Amino acid sequence: MSPVDLTTVLAGITLRNPVVTCSGTYGFGEEYADYCPLEALGGITLKGITPLPRLGNSVPRLSETPAGLLNAVGLENPGLEEFLSDYLPKVRKMPTAVIANISGFSLEDYVEMA
């Protein structure tokens, strides 16, 4: 029996399969690679990146509910400059599609990030 072709095209990007991580749940790609190899995914959506570094919200950031968890991490991230210098070189070498996740607090922030 030959394997099923799960190739998917999303916004003009060819993915090996339709499995893409949710925004921010896979960090910047290295954090969970030991648990789920990048090669097994169609792509990853990076953790949100803002123009300036953010520490995020104070704890507690998670609240358990009868239906699951609510989170309010608060976009903790190293900021654009550190992402470009420290993370982007590694991201470019990842063996799967990578989707950037830009965040901001004003129109100007989003223009800068784009």
Side-chain angles (χ1 to χ4, degrees), residues 2-3 16 25 27 29 36 39 81 87 90 96 98:
S2 56
R16 76 171 53 86
T25 61
C36 181
E39 296 86 355
E81 291 305 317
Y87 294 90
K90 297 172 191 171
T96 194
V98 177

Side-chain angles (χ1 to χ4, degrees), residues 56-104:
N57 294 330
S58 58
V59 293
R61 294 177 172 192
L62 297 176
S63 181
E64 193 169 350
T65 73
L69 286 175
L70 293 174
N71 89 44
V73 174
L75 297 173
E76 178 181 356
N77 75 93
L80 180 59
E81 291 305 317
E82 186 175 336
F83 172 77
L84 293 174
S85 64
D86 296 352
Y87 294 90
L88 186 59
K90 297 172 191 171
V91 167
R92 285 187 165 156
K93 296 177 185 173
M94 292 183 178
T96 194
V98 177
I99 300 167
N101 175 4
I102 62 173
S103 298

Side-chain angles (χ1 to χ4, degrees), residues 34-46:
D34 289 343
Y35 304 101
C36 181
L38 293 168
E39 296 86 355
L41 299 169
I44 63 169
T45 305
L46 299 179

